[in-house]
Amino acid sequence: MTEPLSAWRVVFYAPVASFRDPLFPGLTRGLPVPPPSTVRGLLAAATGEPSESLAFGMAAWSEGGGTDDETYHPISASGLNPSVAGRVRPGKGGMTIRSRPFLTGVHLTVWLPGPDGARIADALRRPRWPLRLGRSQDLVHVGERTRVTLNPAEEAAVGSALAPLSGHDVPSATVHRLAASVSTDRMASRWTDYLWCDIPAGRHPVRGAYEDATCRAHPGAEKGQALWLLEP
Amino acid sequence: MAYLAGRMLVSVEAGAPNNGRSADTTARVKYATVRGRRHPYVSAQAVRRWIRDGMVRQGVPASPVTRVGKAQQRAQKANTDADPITYPDDDLFGYMRAGAKKDDDATTLRDSPFMLGTLLSVTPAHPTEDFGVMARGVSEPVLHGHEFYSADLAAPFLLDLPRIGTFTLPNAHGVGRPNYLSQEAALQVARAAALGAGAESFRGQDSVRLPVAERRRRAALLLESIAHLHGGAKQALHYGDRVPHVIVLVPFHGGVNPLTHVITGDEEGLRIRGDVLRGELEAWAGEWEAPVRIGWRPGFRDDLRERFEKECAAEIADRTVVIGHPRTILLELAAEMRDGTTLDHWFEDPVREPVREPVR
């Protein structure tokens, strides 16, 4: 944590994306940022590996949002309510309408350090599986990939980076409990609390952070973006 | 080649093709708030429904209707489960099959090989509220207002061609469970065997795969359906043509879609940018295959078209970019796929050589 680190910075943009909070069963509460596990899935889709376990840094924000009404046609395994051309009759366990919050103009910046980071940045040139941020309809645009040097920092622009609880003391930051990683059989999630600012915070003292001097992850932020390497 | 990336533009003139919950007696159109301004949209699932219905209209057999009642005790399972082997629409659009909690059945799904984003207006638009009254032969008129708007809606899409007719099987660690078929279940389906499905490895996972002739037929059906696209709400009051006004199609080696900013909007309104297309093609050199197919309906925004054709003059001259009517472009591509002589390599993943960056 004292040495400068070489990394690839990759920016992603999704015109529309939504991240459901799985801690609210039966409700669709939307998260304001993609969880790290979602980003891990995006990276694994690029490399084609079952999972990617490198520690990476991320910052994310969105331009706006809305709430969609969606018709669900779940197919019951019992076969009592068959699907006909993709439609299922309404009723218990059948066709139903749910509201689904979504974000528009989602901007995501990811820092991928070390040789693993170089391998993933390389794979993003020709992803093995389709790249999506959120659900299968949330196609993501891969922006520029830049080689950067990350310096350990005492003070940096917190911006819209995801930070561990011990990362900084910005009063406007809110805590979000997000999945850090999901096991490959999807049976177990590792939950972690993260700090995130919906309005980019300026320069503050930071702990355990690196600084990317050439980057502002949000147009309203200052240069010298702070980032924390998030473990799976 | 493995992915067909694209972006489509549907221009809505005084329409309300997709509506949210109504407020009081007024039906509201769906809109998102971007930077504090309202952008109407048509949800991805609505457009997917239009395309799916379009496939049925083209005579693709949809899952048959089976009435299930107490008399039958239980339905014929083969007809009632989502069956991606028999039905192209289940294959292309995916599904979710929810198990009963008490039976401990796993919830399984097929992840859609056809991905389509939200048709979101490129510029803010203010819906008009139309005041409607039903007063024919009633003493107390019934009020029924509704909103409608005019806007240019754009959406990205991506078709994972090798995954059409390919069903991954779970391994011991549960990786690849999303397709839920066990090998026996997949191969037992008499029709799959009759179609000549075989087991093979797909992107590092075991899978069952339909023969390429069926897979290319399904991809072609999807394109043909987009060429006939129509559907949505308020067809009687606000009839509108829903065939994409502009569509851009680029085949890529990897699962990327860098066409986001080719069709976009700013303070001036709609922008269709040849310079952005050229920049992206240059940045992704070696990752895509010519020609770039562009469908542009005659008479739609001639000013933008003239500028676009000027910006891409060199590419149009050497046929790197081909411009035609969206229907012609889509139907010709579908015909070329069905033919199977030139595009079959699209249905396999590219041979993976390590991709090296030019050093900057």
Side-chain angles (χ1 to χ4, degrees):
Chain A
M1 195 63 234
T2 55
E3 293 296 305
L5 201 57
S6 164
W8 281 90
R9 181 178 74 218
V10 190
V11 294
F12 296 92
Y13 169 74
V16 176
S18 69
F19 311 102
R20 187 179 165 270
D21 190 340
L23 295 173
F24 288 73
L27 293 173
T28 37
R29 176 183 178 269
L31 292 166
V33 279
S37 67
T38 303
V39 178
R40 265 181 208 290
L42 173 80
L43 303 178
T47 59
E49 299 295 327
S51 64
E52 288 293 347
S53 57
L54 89 162
F56 62 82
M58 65 176 274
W61 61 280
S62 67
E63 295 170 19
T67 303
D68 193 14
D69 290 329
E70 298 199 330
T71 316
Y72 280 74
H73 295 273
I75 298 151
S76 83
S78 65
L80 288 174
N81 191 355
S83 79
V84 177
R87 290 171 194 259
V88 171
R89 278 180 298 113
K92 191 173 180 296
M95 189 277 279
T96 175
I97 295 180
R98 290 186 193 160
S99 54
R100 171 104 191 181
F102 62 91
L103 306 171
T104 56
V106 180
H107 296 263
L108 167 71
T109 311
V110 178
W111 288 268
L112 304 162
D116 264 344
R119 177 177 57 82
I120 294 171
D122 215 30
L124 283 165
R125 178 95 183 144
R126 186 184 293 183
R128 198 149 189 216
W129 294 90
L131 290 191
R132 305 175 298 201
L133 187 64
R135 300 190 294 168
S136 66
Q137 62 188 44
D138 302 330
L139 292 169
V140 65
H141 180 93
V142 188
E144 56 181 15
R145 289 164 304 155
T146 323
R147 247 213 124 105
V148 293
T149 304
L150 306 178
N151 294 305
E154 300 288 314
E155 185 189 84
V158 172
S160 42
L162 274 193
L165 289 187
S166 59
H168 58 74
D169 303 318
V170 178
S172 63
T174 45
V175 177
H176 295 271
R177 191 159 180 76
L178 306 172
S181 59
V182 177
S183 65
T184 47
D185 63 1
R186 315 231 11 115
M187 287 299 177
S189 301
R190 218 183 121 254
W191 299 98
T192 311
D193 289 334
Y194 298 95
L195 289 172
W196 182 72
C197 308
D198 57 346
I199 295 165
R203 290 188 75 82
H204 288 274
V206 291
R207 292 180 292 275
Y210 286 95
E211 180 183 16
D212 180 350
T214 59
C215 169
R216 67 160 61 106
H218 185 292
E222 300 157 37
K223 276 208 170 169
Q225 171 71 46
L227 63 119
W228 286 262
L229 295 184
L230 310 173
E231 297 290 339
Chain B
M1 211 46 66
Y3 292 90
L4 186 61
R7 192 154 168 86
M8 65 167 80
L9 177 91
V10 176
S11 184
V12 173
E13 192 180 313
N18 191 211
N19 299 309
R21 289 173 205 270
S22 49
D24 300 329
T25 56
T26 305
R28 302 276 174 203
V29 298
K30 286 182 174 178
Y31 65 90
T33 311
V34 186
R35 298 194 197 96
R37 304 178 71 179
R38 288 176 68 171
H39 290 239
Y41 70 89
V42 175
S43 74
Q45 68 158 345
V47 185
R48 287 166 66 89
R49 163 62 55 198
W50 302 351
I51 297 172
R52 192 170 182 146
D53 288 350
M55 285 175 62
V56 174
R57 277 195 304 271
Q58 288 175 72
V60 179
S63 327
V65 182
T66 40
R67 279 187 58 86
V68 186
K70 284 209 170 99
Q72 291 98 336
Q73 297 283 314
R74 203 35 87 86
Q76 291 267 320
K77 238 192 159 88
N79 296 347
T80 59
D81 277 347
D83 177 1
I85 286 171
T86 314
Y87 303 111
D89 57 343
D90 283 342
D91 175 7
L92 289 163
F93 292 93
Y95 48 81
M96 180 174 128
R97 181 171 168 275
K101 280 221 166 53
K102 61 178 193 309
D103 305 338
D104 204 27
D105 276 336
T107 294
T108 52
L109 49 96
R110 170 154 176 77
D111 187 37
S112 170
F114 174 62
M115 294 151 270
L116 171 75
T118 305
L119 266 176
L120 184 64
S121 172
V122 295
T123 51
H126 294 283
T128 307
E129 193 169 315
D130 183 68
F131 184 72
V133 177
M134 166 64 191
R136 241 186 5 259
V138 287
S139 54
E140 299 240 341
V142 179
L143 306 182
H144 60 93
H146 74 274
E147 290 185 332
F148 66 92
Y149 58 85
S150 298
D152 295 321
L153 315 177
F157 60 92
L158 186 64
L159 181 57
D160 186 350
L161 290 152
R163 202 143 51 85
I164 298 172
T166 302
F167 311 106
T168 50
L169 308 169
N171 68 8
H173 305 295
V175 178
R177 228 181 41 191
N179 274 201
Y180 99 85
L181 288 171
S182 67
Q183 187 157 354
E184 298 72 34
L187 287 171
Q188 261 171 6
V189 180
R191 240 184 259 213
L195 287 168
E200 51 185 279
S201 174
F202 178 72
R203 295 180 194 166
Q205 296 177 15
D206 291 342
S207 67
V208 170
R209 209 162 199 202
L210 297 177
V212 70
E214 175 63 14
R215 294 170 45 227
R216 60 167 104 97
R217 185 181 79 93
R218 291 181 178 189
L221 283 171
L222 182 76
L223 297 175
E224 285 158 1
S225 184
I226 297 175
H228 296 271
L229 192 65
H230 83 91
K234 297 275 180 200
Q235 285 284 322
L237 273 181
H238 290 300
Y239 171 76
D241 191 1
R242 301 287 174 249
V243 173
H245 288 68
V246 179
I247 191 163
V248 183
L249 293 160
V250 189
F252 277 92
H253 285 302
V256 290
N257 184 329
L259 306 170
T260 309
H261 306 302
V262 175
I263 299 177
T264 172
D266 60 13
E267 290 71 35
E268 306 286 303
L270 175 68
R271 301 277 310 270
I272 300 176
R273 300 183 55 179
D275 55 330
V276 170
L277 179 66
R278 291 180 60 183
E280 291 289 355
L281 293 177
E282 201 176 311
W284 293 92
E287 291 297 310
W288 55 278
E289 189 180 280
V292 171
R293 293 167 176 84
I294 295 178
W296 197 313
R297 301 187 67 175
F300 177 73
R301 297 301 304 268
D302 282 337
D303 53 330
L304 294 176
R305 181 161 182 170
E306 197 177 321
R307 193 168 155 182
F308 181 90
E309 292 187 0
K310 210 173 281 173
E311 282 166 338
C312 292
E315 286 78 5
I316 292 170
D318 66 14
R319 308 279 296 163
T320 310
V321 171
V322 179
I323 302 192
H325 191 291
R327 274 179 60 85
T328 321
I329 291 281
L330 287 160
L331 295 175
E332 280 177 0
L333 180 56
E336 200 176 338
M337 272 184 188
R338 281 176 189 270
D339 180 50
T341 48
T342 48
L343 298 184
D344 264 12
H345 63 288
W346 284 15
F347 291 84
E348 296 299 333
D349 275 345
V351 181
R352 301 189 69 80
E353 301 134 12
V355 195
R356 280 281 145 231
E357 292 294 305
V359 180
R360 270 173 295 186

